[in-house]
Coordinates of all heavy atoms in Angstrom, one line a residue:
R436 N 89.5 25.4 -18.4 CA 88.6 25.5 -17.4 C 89.2 25.1 -16.0 O 90.2 24.4 -16.1 CB 87.2 24.9 -17.7 CG 87.4 23.4 -17.8 CD 86.0 22.8 -18.1 NE 85.1 22.9 -17.1 CZ 85.0 22.0 -16.1 NH1 85.9 21.1 -15.9 NH2 84.2 22.2 -15.1
M437 N 88.4 25.3 -14.9 CA 88.8 24.8 -13.7 C 87.9 23.8 -13.2 O 86.6 24.0 -13.4 CB 88.9 26.1 -12.6 CG 89.3 25.5 -11.1 SD 89.3 26.8 -10.0 CE 87.5 27.0 -9.6
A438 N 88.3 22.7 -12.6 CA 87.4 21.8 -12.1 C 87.4 21.9 -10.4 O 88.6 22.1 -9.8 CB 87.8 20.4 -12.4
N439 N 86.3 21.8 -9.8 CA 86.2 22.0 -8.3 C 86.7 20.7 -7.8 O 86.0 19.7 -7.6 CB 84.8 22.3 -8.0 CG 84.5 23.8 -8.2 OD1 85.4 24.6 -8.0 ND2 83.2 24.1 -8.5
S440 N 87.9 20.7 -7.1 CA 88.3 19.6 -6.4 C 87.7 19.7 -4.9 O 87.4 20.8 -4.5 CB 89.9 19.5 -6.3 OG 90.4 20.6 -5.6
W441 N 87.6 18.5 -4.3 CA 87.1 18.6 -3.0 C 87.9 19.5 -2.0 O 87.5 20.2 -1.1 CB 87.0 17.2 -2.4 CG 85.7 16.5 -3.0 CD1 84.9 16.9 -3.9 CD2 85.2 15.2 -2.4 NE1 84.0 16.0 -4.1 CE2 84.1 15.0 -3.3 CE3 85.6 14.3 -1.6 CZ2 83.4 13.7 -3.1 CZ3 84.9 13.1 -1.4 CH2 83.7 12.9 -2.1
G442 N 89.3 19.4 -2.2 CA 90.2 20.2 -1.4 C 90.1 21.6 -1.4 O 89.9 22.4 -0.5
V443 N 89.9 22.2 -2.8 CA 89.8 23.6 -2.9 C 88.4 24.1 -2.5 O 88.2 25.0 -1.8 CB 89.9 24.0 -4.5 CG1 89.5 25.4 -4.7 CG2 91.4 23.7 -4.9
L444 N 87.3 23.2 -2.8 CA 85.9 23.6 -2.3 C 85.9 23.7 -0.7 O 85.4 24.6 -0.3 CB 85.0 22.6 -2.9 CG 84.5 22.7 -4.2 CD1 83.6 21.4 -4.6 CD2 83.7 24.0 -4.4
L445 N 86.6 22.7 -0.1 CA 86.6 22.7 1.3 C 87.3 23.9 1.9 O 86.9 24.5 2.8 CB 87.3 21.4 1.8 CG 87.4 21.2 3.3 CD1 85.9 21.1 4.0 CD2 88.1 19.9 3.7
S448 N 85.3 27.2 0.9 CA 84.1 27.2 1.8 C 84.4 27.5 3.1 O 83.6 28.3 3.8 CB 83.3 25.9 1.5 OG 83.0 25.7 0.2
V500 N 80.3 32.7 -5.8 CA 79.7 31.7 -6.6 C 79.8 32.1 -8.1 O 80.0 31.1 -8.9 CB 78.2 31.7 -6.1 CG1 77.4 30.7 -7.1 CG2 78.2 31.1 -4.7
N503 N 83.2 31.3 -9.4 CA 83.4 29.9 -9.5 C 82.7 29.3 -10.7 O 83.2 28.5 -11.5 CB 82.9 29.1 -8.2 CG 83.2 27.7 -8.3 OD1 82.4 26.9 -8.7 ND2 84.4 27.3 -7.9
A504 N 81.5 29.8 -11.0 CA 80.7 29.5 -12.1 C 81.5 29.8 -13.5 O 81.5 29.1 -14.5 CB 79.4 30.1 -12.2
Y505 N 82.1 31.0 -13.5 CA 82.8 31.5 -14.6 C 84.0 30.7 -14.9 O 84.3 30.2 -16.0 CB 83.2 32.9 -14.4 CG 84.3 33.4 -15.3 CD1 84.0 33.8 -16.6 CD2 85.6 33.7 -14.8 CE1 85.0 34.2 -17.5 CE2 86.7 34.1 -15.7 CZ 86.3 34.3 -17.1 OH 87.3 34.8 -17.9
L506 N 84.8 30.3 -13.8 CA 86.0 29.5 -14.0 C 85.7 28.1 -14.3 O 86.6 27.4 -15.1 CB 86.9 29.6 -12.7 CG 87.4 30.9 -12.3 CD1 88.1 30.9 -11.0 CD2 88.4 31.5 -13.3
T507 N 84.5 27.5 -13.9 CA 84.3 26.1 -14.2 C 83.4 25.9 -15.4 O 83.1 24.7 -15.7 CB 83.7 25.4 -12.9 OG1 82.5 26.2 -12.6 CG2 84.7 25.5 -11.7
A508 N 83.0 26.9 -16.0 CA 82.1 26.7 -17.2 C 82.8 26.1 -18.3 O 83.9 26.2 -18.6 CB 81.5 28.2 -17.6
G509 N 81.9 25.4 -19.0 CA 82.3 24.8 -20.4 C 83.0 23.4 -20.1 O 84.0 23.4 -19.6
H510 N 82.2 22.4 -20.5 CA 82.8 21.0 -20.4 C 83.2 20.7 -21.9 O 82.6 21.1 -22.9 CB 81.8 20.0 -19.9 CG 81.6 20.2 -18.5 ND1 80.5 21.1 -17.9 CD2 82.1 19.6 -17.4 CE1 80.5 21.0 -16.6 NE2 81.5 20.1 -16.2
P511 N 84.3 19.9 -22.0 CA 84.8 19.4 -23.3 C 83.7 18.6 -23.9 O 82.9 17.8 -23.2 CB 86.0 18.7 -23.1 CG 86.0 18.3 -21.6 CD 85.2 19.4 -20.9
W513 N 83.8 15.8 -25.4 CA 83.9 14.3 -25.2 C 83.3 13.9 -23.8 O 83.1 12.8 -23.5 CB 85.3 13.7 -25.3 CG 86.3 14.6 -24.5 CD1 87.0 15.6 -24.8 CD2 86.6 14.4 -23.1 NE1 88.0 16.0 -23.9 CE2 87.7 15.3 -22.7 CE3 86.2 13.5 -22.2 CZ2 88.2 15.3 -21.5 CZ3 86.7 13.6 -20.8 CH2 87.7 14.5 -20.5
L514 N 83.1 14.9 -23.0 CA 82.6 14.7 -21.5 C 81.1 14.6 -21.5 O 80.4 14.2 -20.6 CB 83.1 15.8 -20.6 CG 83.0 15.5 -19.1 CD1 83.8 14.2 -18.7 CD2 83.5 16.7 -18.3
T515 N 80.5 15.1 -22.6 CA 79.0 15.0 -22.6 C 78.5 14.2 -23.8 O 77.3 14.3 -24.1 CB 78.5 16.4 -22.8 OG1 79.1 17.1 -24.0 CG2 78.8 17.4 -21.6
Q545 N 80.5 7.4 -18.7 CA 80.9 8.0 -20.0 C 81.9 7.2 -20.7 O 82.6 6.4 -20.1 CB 81.4 9.4 -19.7 CG 80.4 10.4 -19.1 CD 79.3 10.7 -20.1 OE1 78.1 10.5 -19.7 NE2 79.6 11.4 -21.3
F561 N 84.4 5.9 -17.7 CA 84.6 6.6 -16.6 C 83.5 7.3 -16.1 O 82.4 7.4 -16.9 CB 85.8 7.6 -17.0 CG 85.3 8.7 -18.0 CD1 84.8 9.9 -17.4 CD2 85.3 8.5 -19.3 CE1 84.3 10.9 -18.3 CE2 84.9 9.5 -20.2 CZ 84.4 10.7 -19.7
K562 N 83.6 7.8 -14.9 CA 82.6 8.7 -14.2 C 83.2 9.9 -13.7 O 84.3 9.8 -12.9 CB 81.8 7.9 -13.3 CG 80.5 8.7 -12.8 CD 79.7 7.7 -11.9 CE 78.4 8.4 -11.5 NZ 77.4 8.5 -12.6
K563 N 82.7 11.1 -13.9 CA 83.4 12.3 -13.3 C 82.8 12.6 -11.9 O 81.6 12.5 -11.7 CB 82.9 13.5 -14.3 CG 83.5 14.8 -13.7 CD 83.1 15.9 -14.7 CE 83.7 17.3 -14.1 NZ 83.1 17.7 -12.9
V564 N 83.8 12.8 -11.0 CA 83.5 13.2 -9.7 C 84.4 14.4 -9.3 O 85.6 14.2 -9.2 CB 83.7 12.0 -8.7 CG1 83.2 12.4 -7.2 CG2 82.9 10.7 -9.2
A565 N 83.8 15.5 -9.0 CA 84.5 16.7 -8.8 C 85.6 16.9 -9.8 O 85.3 17.1 -11.0 CB 85.2 16.6 -7.4
D566 N 87.0 16.8 -9.4 CA 88.0 17.0 -10.4 C 88.6 15.7 -11.0 O 89.6 15.7 -11.4 CB 89.1 18.0 -10.0 CG 89.8 17.3 -8.7 OD1 89.1 16.5 -8.0 OD2 91.0 17.6 -8.6
K567 N 88.0 14.6 -10.6 CA 88.4 13.3 -10.9 C 87.6 12.6 -12.0 O 86.4 12.8 -12.1 CB 88.5 12.4 -9.8 CG 89.1 13.0 -8.5 CD 90.7 12.9 -8.6 CE 91.3 13.1 -7.3 NZ 90.7 14.3 -6.5
L568 N 88.3 11.9 -12.9 CA 87.6 11.0 -13.9 C 88.0 9.6 -13.3 O 89.1 9.1 -13.5 CB 88.2 11.1 -15.3 CG 87.9 12.6 -15.9 CD1 88.4 12.5 -17.3 CD2 86.4 12.9 -15.8
L569 N 87.1 8.9 -12.7 CA 87.2 7.6 -12.2 C 87.1 6.5 -13.3 O 85.9 6.3 -13.9 CB 86.2 7.3 -11.0 CG 86.3 8.3 -9.9 CD1 85.3 7.9 -8.8 CD2 87.6 8.5 -9.4
S595 N 91.1 20.5 -18.9 CA 90.0 20.8 -18.2 C 90.1 20.6 -16.7 O 89.2 20.5 -16.0 CB 88.8 20.0 -18.6 OG 88.4 20.3 -20.0
D596 N 91.4 20.6 -16.4 CA 91.8 20.4 -14.8 C 91.2 19.1 -14.3 O 90.8 19.2 -13.2 CB 91.3 21.6 -14.2 CG 91.9 21.7 -12.7 OD1 93.0 21.1 -12.6 OD2 91.3 22.3 -11.8
L597 N 91.1 18.1 -15.1 CA 90.6 16.9 -14.6 C 91.8 15.8 -14.4 O 92.6 15.9 -15.3 CB 89.5 16.3 -15.6 CG 88.4 17.2 -15.7 CD1 87.5 16.6 -16.9 CD2 87.5 17.3 -14.5
Q832 N 85.9 8.9 -3.0 CA 85.1 9.1 -4.2 C 84.8 7.8 -4.9 O 83.6 7.6 -5.4 CB 85.8 10.2 -5.1 CG 85.8 11.5 -4.6 CD 86.9 12.4 -5.2 OE1 87.8 12.0 -5.9 NE2 86.7 13.8 -5.0
V836 N 81.1 6.3 -5.5 CA 80.6 5.9 -6.8 C 80.1 4.5 -6.9 O 79.1 4.2 -7.4 CB 81.7 6.3 -7.8 CG1 81.4 5.7 -9.2 CG2 81.9 7.8 -8.1
Q839 N 76.9 4.2 -5.1 CA 75.8 5.2 -5.4 C 74.4 4.5 -5.5 O 74.3 3.6 -6.4 CB 76.2 6.0 -6.7 CG 75.1 7.0 -6.9 CD 75.4 7.8 -8.3 OE1 76.4 7.3 -9.0 NE2 74.6 8.7 -8.6
K844 N 68.3 8.7 -2.7 CA 69.5 9.4 -2.3 C 70.1 9.0 -1.0 O 69.2 8.7 -0.1 CB 69.1 10.8 -2.4 CG 68.9 11.4 -3.7 CD 70.1 11.4 -4.5 CE 69.9 12.1 -5.9 NZ 71.0 12.0 -6.8
K850 N 75.1 12.2 1.8 CA 74.3 13.1 1.1 C 75.0 14.3 0.6 O 74.9 14.8 -0.5 CB 73.0 13.4 1.8 CG 72.0 14.2 1.2 CD 70.8 14.5 2.0 CE 69.7 15.3 1.3 NZ 68.5 15.6 2.1
A851 N 75.7 14.9 1.6 CA 76.5 16.1 1.4 C 77.5 15.9 0.3 O 77.7 16.7 -0.7 CB 77.2 16.7 2.5
L852 N 78.2 14.8 0.3 CA 79.2 14.5 -0.7 C 78.6 14.2 -2.1 O 79.0 14.6 -3.1 CB 80.0 13.2 -0.3 CG 80.9 13.4 1.0 CD1 81.5 12.0 1.3 CD2 81.9 14.5 0.8
W853 N 77.3 13.5 -2.0 CA 76.8 13.4 -3.4 C 76.2 14.7 -3.9 O 76.2 14.8 -5.1 CB 75.6 12.3 -3.2 CG 76.1 11.0 -3.3 CD1 76.2 10.0 -2.4 CD2 76.6 10.3 -4.5 NE1 76.7 8.8 -2.9 CE2 77.1 9.1 -4.1 CE3 76.9 10.8 -5.7 CZ2 77.7 8.2 -5.1 CZ3 77.5 9.9 -6.7 CH2 77.9 8.7 -6.4
Y854 N 75.9 15.6 -3.1 CA 75.4 16.9 -3.6 C 76.6 17.6 -4.3 O 76.3 18.1 -5.4 CB 74.9 17.7 -2.3 CG 74.5 19.1 -2.9 CD1 73.3 19.4 -3.5 CD2 75.4 20.2 -2.7 CE1 72.9 20.6 -4.0 CE2 75.1 21.5 -3.1 CZ 73.8 21.7 -3.8 OH 73.5 22.9 -4.1
I855 N 77.7 17.5 -3.7 CA 79.0 18.1 -4.4 C 79.2 17.4 -5.6 O 79.5 18.1 -6.7 CB 80.1 18.1 -3.4 CG1 79.8 18.9 -2.1 CG2 81.3 18.5 -4.1 CD1 80.9 18.8 -1.1
M856 N 79.1 16.1 -5.6 CA 79.4 15.4 -6.9 C 78.4 15.6 -8.0 O 78.8 15.9 -9.2 CB 79.5 13.8 -6.6 CG 80.7 13.4 -5.8 SD 80.4 11.8 -5.1 CE 80.3 10.7 -6.6
D857 N 77.1 15.7 -7.7 CA 76.1 15.9 -8.7 C 76.2 17.3 -9.3 O 76.0 17.6 -10.3 CB 74.7 15.7 -8.1 CG 74.4 14.2 -7.8 OD1 75.1 13.4 -8.4 OD2 73.5 14.0 -7.1
A858 N 76.6 18.3 -8.4 CA 76.7 19.7 -8.7 C 77.8 19.9 -9.8 O 77.9 20.9 -10.5 CB 76.9 20.5 -7.6
N859 N 78.7 19.0 -9.8 CA 79.9 19.0 -10.7 C 79.8 18.3 -12.0 O 80.7 18.1 -12.8 CB 81.2 18.6 -10.0 CG 81.6 19.7 -9.1 OD1 82.3 20.7 -9.5 ND2 81.3 19.7 -7.8
Q860 N 78.6 17.6 -12.1 CA 78.5 16.7 -13.4 C 78.0 17.6 -14.6 O 77.4 18.6 -14.4 CB 77.4 15.7 -13.1 CG 77.7 14.7 -12.0 CD 79.0 14.0 -12.2 OE1 79.3 13.5 -13.3 NE2 79.9 14.0 -11.1
P861 N 78.6 17.3 -15.7 CA 78.2 18.0 -16.9 C 76.8 17.8 -17.3 O 76.3 16.6 -17.1 CB 79.2 17.4 -18.0 CG 79.5 16.1 -17.4 CD 79.6 16.2 -16.0
K862 N 76.1 18.8 -17.5 CA 74.6 18.8 -17.8 C 74.5 18.7 -19.3 O 75.1 19.3 -20.0 CB 73.9 20.0 -17.3 CG 74.2 20.1 -15.7 CD 73.5 19.0 -15.0 CE 73.5 19.2 -13.5 NZ 74.8 19.1 -12.8

Side-chain angles (χ1 to χ4, degrees):
R436 59 181 296 275
M437 180 184 81
N439 281 323
S440 68
W441 282 9
V443 171
L444 279 175
L445 181 63
S448 301
V500 172
N503 186 266
Y505 165 73
L506 294 174
T507 58
H510 289 85
W513 53 265
L514 197 60
T515 56
Q545 297 293 120
F561 70 92
K562 192 174 184 69
K563 180 180 179 295
V564 183
D566 65 330
K567 307 290 195 310
L568 298 182
L569 305 183
S595 295
D596 191 26
L597 299 169
Q832 287 163 345
V836 166
Q839 180 182 7
K844 293 292 183 182
K850 181 177 181 180
L852 293 175
W853 274 113
Y854 176 79
I855 294 173
M856 289 168 59
D857 289 343
N859 282 276
Q860 296 308 309
K862 301 296 188 287

